[in-house]
Amino acid sequence: MNAEKSTASELAWFKSSYSTGSGGECIEVAVCPRAVRVRDSKDVARRGLEVDAGAWGAFIGFTAQ
């Protein structure tokens, strides 16, 4: 588990370009120095995911194909 000192509220979150405005599939992403955090934009109090920056890059590369 990665224990960063920054809290989720201190991060610069941005909404995915694939999220819909109708309340459907909405996620937000925040980039940290060594990881990428992902959370549900409709329930920001719920614990999100944290993935290694390399794994996130592989995921983005895979989904873009």
Side-chain angles (χ1 to χ4, degrees), residues 56-65:
W56 181 257
F59 171 72
I60 295 300
F62 178 78
T63 61
Q65 295 178 6

Side-chain angles (χ1 to χ4, degrees), residues 7 12 14 16 24 26 32 34 37 39 50-51 55 58-59 62 64:
T7 64
F14 63 93
S16 168
C26 298
C32 302
R34 294 179 303 270
R37 293 186 179 182
R39 70 180 181 186
E50 183 175 294
V51 296
F59 171 72
F62 178 78

Side-chain angles (χ1 to χ4, degrees), residues 3-44:
E4 293 191 33
K5 291 183 179 180
S6 63
T7 64
S9 62
E10 294 173 342
L11 298 173
W13 292 92
F14 63 93
K15 195 175 211 179
S16 168
S17 60
Y18 290 99
S19 294
T20 64
S22 62
E25 307 82 14
C26 298
I27 65 163
E28 294 178 327
V29 177
V31 178
C32 302
R34 294 179 303 270
V36 176
R37 293 186 179 182
V38 183
R39 70 180 181 186
D40 183 345
S41 64
K42 298 176 304 306
D43 188 3
V44 297

